[in-house]
Amino acid sequence: MLFVVPPLAGHVNPTVAVGAELAARGHEVAWTGPPSALARLLPAHSRILPAGEEGGPGGGYTALHDRWRDLRGVAALRFLWEEALVPLARAMVPGVTRAVRDFGPDVLVADQQALAGPLAARRLGIPWATSASTSAELTRPFGDFPKVGAWVAQQIGGLLAEFGETGAGETGAGAEGTGWDPRFSERLVLVFSTPELVGGEGAFPPHHAFVGPAFGARPATPGFPWQRLDPDRRRVLVSLGTLNQEAGGRFYAAVLGAAERLAGQVQLVLAAPAALVGTVPGHVLLQERVPQLELLPHLDAVVCHAGHNTVCEALAYGLPLVLAPIRDDQPIVARQVVEAGAGVRVRFGRTRAEELRDALTAVLDEPGPRRAARRIQASFAAAGGAAAAADRLEKLS
């Protein structure tokens, strides 16, 4: 089994869990992508086959992040496709092709943002599956914006044409398109969520396998001050994810304001750089990095940017959410949570302390969000996670 992934933790993490399950069953497993990034994201001794320029497209992944950080809406989408996904695919195709030839996989598993994987698999006649590390693409995100959907289809079609393939239309659950789309395998799409969260139960084709979240090993986060968790207060994690922290200065000010208003009842665990937050009161626990999976069982709620991984990890522990989406798929994921009843949405750029306080009070005090979060938690457990994904991949081979 060969996993083709971009150099992003949220896209690599599900494959770590599935890869470990496959290896435990006796299968050979390898990953291909930008090697130095994968070496940081994968467990030690993972087999990594290099694909992609080490510095990354567009002057390097750090430079891309610096330019992407302040974009929103259509501007962020254009940047994602023109400056990141399409150049990354071009850079990775030769290496992925070599990896397939050298490793000889029976099945290739490609993340939706690693478009080089399907291109190489089709060229070499290897069965391939999609790893949908976010469910946003499955819900026809551009259904209300057909011109945007057509533009995305043009970017995909142009990339395919470069490699001698026919074009693609906007695809997804129930959408019509022409040609083929490297975001969606026609044989197996592993969706690391469930219909209870995504919505539209029964609207997806049978080769869309909703396996729920798959949590793999994470790099250690030493030095977390567990003794400072206050047993007399309800505890709430506030995290904007690793890629969005630097955009959070104004939001962090609202967080501290809400923390002051709830000081007698709630302890916030704020995952953020100290330089962006400033001085915090003694009852707020500020850490640049936290061991998120280990921390979640000790919490009562989560405030986040509606990143798919953080949302699913919180819901896997039955925790309701306050969501402040910033860009990309985050508004779609936030809408899924709100429509499922498991959280409250606030405005990232204009949230005031009072609004955030009220949202936190709602998810902590009202029974509805916690009940909905536990319903989704049960659906995640029933879906099977990494073991269910491995079952489907074995059948594909």
Side-chain angles (χ1 to χ4, degrees):
M1 305 281 181
L2 178 65
F3 292 95
V4 186
V5 290
L8 299 168
H11 297 255
V12 173
N13 286 342
T15 72
V16 173
V18 178
E21 176 69 23
L22 289 165
R25 299 182 184 192
H27 300 290
E28 291 186 63
V29 179
W31 283 261
T32 183
S36 63
L38 295 196
R40 293 191 300 270
L41 298 171
L42 291 169
H45 311 300
S46 297
R47 183 170 183 178
I48 298 172
L49 306 172
E53 300 170 9
E54 196 60 28
Y61 299 114
T62 300
L64 281 177
H65 171 251
D66 291 343
R67 292 157 56 199
W68 163 85
R69 184 178 57 211
D70 298 322
L71 298 176
R72 302 288 187 274
V74 174
L77 180 73
R78 290 184 65 91
F79 184 88
L80 175 68
W81 281 97
E82 292 179 341
E83 304 293 332
L85 299 188
V86 170
L88 179 65
R90 291 192 190 109
M92 284 180 60
V93 162
V96 174
T97 302
R98 286 193 300 272
V100 171
R101 287 175 172 154
D102 293 344
F103 185 59
D106 298 288
V107 174
L108 182 146
V109 185
D111 181 87
Q112 282 187 307
Q113 292 191 0
L115 306 177
L119 282 165
R122 281 176 65 98
R123 177 182 294 178
L124 299 176
I126 303 297
W128 65 281
T130 296
S131 173
S133 50
T134 174
S135 58
E137 291 278 8
L138 308 178
T139 60
R140 297 193 66 186
F142 311 121
D144 295 330
F145 307 97
K147 290 185 178 180
V148 177
W151 181 85
V152 170
Q154 288 175 357
Q155 306 310 302
I156 297 171
L159 174 67
L160 298 183
E162 291 182 34
F163 293 93
E165 298 281 351
T166 55
E170 184 194 354
T171 62
E176 295 180 358
T178 58
W180 71 285
D181 191 327
R183 295 172 297 174
F184 304 99
S185 168
E186 296 175 350
R187 298 185 62 181
L188 177 61
V189 177
L190 295 173
V191 186
F192 295 100
S193 186
T194 60
E196 284 79 4
L197 175 58
V198 177
E201 190 168 2
F204 298 95
H207 70 283
H208 284 57
F210 285 83
V211 300
F215 302 138
R218 305 286 172 83
T221 307
F224 184 79
W226 294 99
Q227 72 283 358
R228 288 190 56 195
L229 292 177
D230 188 343
D232 297 322
R233 290 183 172 96
R234 288 175 291 181
R235 296 176 290 271
V236 176
L237 172 66
V238 181
S239 172
L240 297 180
T242 54
L243 295 179
N244 298 291
Q245 290 177 336
E246 294 167 8
R250 184 172 180 177
F251 187 77
Y252 294 140
V255 168
L256 294 182
E260 181 180 357
R261 288 159 174 79
L262 295 169
Q265 310 163 47
V266 176
Q267 179 185 34
L268 296 187
V269 181
L270 178 52
L276 293 178
V277 178
T279 304
V280 300
H283 67 280
V284 172
L285 179 50
L286 174 63
Q287 295 283 295
E288 185 158 351
R289 296 179 61 206
V290 300
Q292 188 159 294
L293 283 179
E294 292 85 354
L295 183 60
L296 289 170
H298 303 274
L299 301 177
D300 296 280
V302 172
V303 178
C304 72
H305 58 306
H308 193 265
N309 278 281
T310 300
V311 163
C312 288
E313 289 172 7
L315 292 172
Y317 286 90
L319 300 177
L321 293 129
V322 174
L323 305 143
I326 305 171
R327 62 170 74 77
D328 301 333
D329 65 330
Q330 296 159 15
I332 298 171
V333 175
R335 185 179 69 233
Q336 292 176 359
V337 174
V338 171
E339 290 180 351
V344 175
R345 178 173 175 170
V346 298
R347 303 165 297 176
F348 174 76
R350 298 190 298 275
T351 300
R352 301 173 67 89
E354 293 80 5
E355 182 185 2
L356 194 54
R357 175 204 60 196
D358 292 345
L360 272 169
T361 300
V363 300
L364 288 169
D365 292 348
E366 297 175 11
R370 187 167 303 279
R371 230 179 357 243
R374 288 176 174 168
R375 184 181 69 250
I376 296 170
Q377 176 188 27
S379 78
F380 283 178
D391 289 344
R392 295 296 294 257
L393 288 170
E394 287 179 328
K395 293 176 183 176
L396 189 63
S397 63

